[in-house]
Amino acid sequence: HAHKITKAQGKIDWHQSAASIERQIRALNPWPMSSCQIGDLSLRIWDAKVVPLEKSAKIPGTVMAFHEDCPVISTGDGTGLCLLIG
């Protein structure tokens, strides 16, 4: 038996590696969905892919660029995560 999945498990911790966050997003789609807070926006994340960053961010969770019309967020391992949001 496995423990019940809760919405709280969907909150993204940007200090993790990009690959780990990408797996979390896939595992929690379609329910309870992964989510994050960027500024005043609360976002639900549908899909993501790991992309290289041209420059490293000092703070994980920073919007670094846009790739194929999706925001690229810095992660704890210095790589970026391109997010499909909804």
Side-chain angles (χ1 to χ4, degrees), residues 38-51:
I38 298 179
D40 294 337
L41 297 174
S42 180
L43 305 173
R44 295 177 66 189
I45 311 302
W46 292 93
D47 196 10
K49 68 178 178 177
V50 178
V51 295

Side-chain angles (χ1 to χ4, degrees), residues 33-85:
M33 294 296 296
S34 292
S35 62
C36 67
Q37 189 81 22
I38 298 179
D40 294 337
L41 297 174
S42 180
L43 305 173
R44 295 177 66 189
I45 311 302
W46 292 93
D47 196 10
K49 68 178 178 177
V50 178
V51 295
L53 289 176
E54 292 183 17
K55 58 182 178 179
S56 180
K58 294 181 181 178
I59 303 171
T62 304
V63 178
M64 296 298 294
F66 283 86
H67 177 75
E68 298 175 4
D69 294 330
C70 69
V72 177
I73 312 295
S74 63
T75 61
D77 65 355
T79 57
L81 201 59
C82 182
L83 304 177
L84 177 61
I85 57 178

